[in-house]
Amino acid sequence: MLTIVQVYPELLGTYGDGGNGLVLAERARRRGIAVRLIHAGMDDQLASADLYLLGGGEDGPQRLAVELLANAGFGQQVSNGAMVFAVCAGLQMLGTSFSVHGDDEYRGLGLVPAVTTRATTRAVGDLVTEVNGTLMVGFENHGGATSFGSGVDPLGTVVRGRGNDGQTDGCRMGRIWATYAHGPVLALNPWLADAVLAEAIGRDQLEPLDSVADRLYESRCRALMNLGVD
Ligand code: GLN
């Protein structure tokens, strides 16, 4: 049984990233993979999971989520091998520190050597990233700029938008994957949903699953190319 935990939807659900859990669970089910999707509220005990999903959130809720996760033994679950897929505030929280509005600096969970400072402008709009030759489409809405220490690979190279710093987006460090892209990004990019699912269940790849999401993805890529992304 694959257990997926969507972490603190009431804190980290502002940007619709809860859709990532729904997409993963549905793509698993359609392939006959037994799956359980748990929405772990801030008053619940954090369940053990094979895969934790962290979404985006506003500055205050993001700080509270760090505190709650630190006390809930989240780091231990990750050291024990749980996978993490994190978006935006989720990515910032995994790092060693992040600054929010007013430039106050806060400690992150320290699971990834990453520091997020406040950029001079807020990044709002399309975020397109090339990940191993495939376009990842989404949108971003954040005030951070993130830099990483050694041992961390970026998830991909930014084609449009800011992501971490205008050059790269997100990160991969072992079984921790992260991006600045909302969408929900796994609904917009079915190939990425399957890559996350495959990693979570320890397979190299999954059998293809035809769905309308593929057509939507292709049409989004075409639209972005017409806007000058190629
Ligand atoms: N609060 C963070 C920022 O503005 C993250 C926002 C988000 O998750 N979209 O940088």
Side-chain angles (χ1 to χ4, degrees):
M1 169 74 75
L2 171 71
T3 303
I4 302 173
V5 167
Q6 186 80 48
V7 177
Y8 307 147
E10 64 274 70
L11 299 176
L12 302 174
T14 319
Y15 298 89
D17 300 313
N20 289 335
L22 299 175
V23 166
L24 289 171
E26 184 58 23
R27 294 182 78 84
R29 268 187 216 114
R30 287 192 193 183
R31 292 186 169 97
I33 299 166
V35 61
R36 187 163 55 134
L37 174 63
I38 299 172
H39 291 91
M42 55 188 285
D43 296 322
D44 302 332
Q45 186 159 358
L46 190 70
S48 290
D50 303 297
L51 170 60
Y52 289 98
L53 301 174
L54 303 178
E58 289 158 5
D59 296 345
Q62 168 176 348
R63 285 168 46 204
L64 177 56
V66 168
E67 244 177 78
L68 294 171
L69 283 174
N71 294 333
F74 178 70
Q76 194 56 48
Q77 296 275 355
V78 176
S79 335
N80 291 347
M83 184 182 178
V84 180
F85 182 76
V87 176
C88 199
L91 175 157
Q92 297 177 358
M93 288 163 50
L94 292 170
T96 45
S97 70
F98 58 86
S99 300
V100 295
H101 190 63
D103 280 338
D104 292 334
E105 192 180 293
Y106 294 91
R107 259 163 66 148
L109 292 160
L111 301 175
V112 174
V115 171
T116 299
T117 53
R118 280 295 91 176
T120 45
T121 56
R122 192 165 180 88
V124 182
D126 290 320
L127 173 59
V128 182
T129 302
E130 193 183 312
V131 181
N132 300 326
T134 303
L135 285 188
M136 180 182 81
V137 298
F139 73 90
E140 62 185 337
N141 185 345
H142 64 100
T146 304
S147 58
F148 296 87
S150 61
V152 188
D153 293 321
L155 182 66
T157 309
V158 167
V159 180
R160 183 188 192 93
R162 179 156 87 214
N164 299 330
D165 56 2
Q167 308 289 316
T168 64
D169 174 53
C171 70
R172 273 188 69 160
M173 195 185 89
R175 301 191 86 218
I176 299 179
W177 298 16
T179 174
Y180 265 104
H182 301 292
V185 69
L186 299 186
L188 293 183
N189 300 271
W191 63 269
L192 182 61
D194 283 354
V196 171
L197 202 51
E199 171 73 24
I201 63 174
R203 290 207 208 144
D204 284 343
Q205 58 182 54
L206 301 172
E207 65 272 24
L209 183 73
D210 184 43
S211 83
V212 70
D214 299 308
R215 261 96 66 206
L216 290 171
Y217 168 72
E218 279 152 25
S219 94
R220 187 75 195 121
C221 288
R222 272 197 306 276
L224 286 161
M225 276 168 209
N226 289 339
L227 289 174
V229 173
D230 54 21

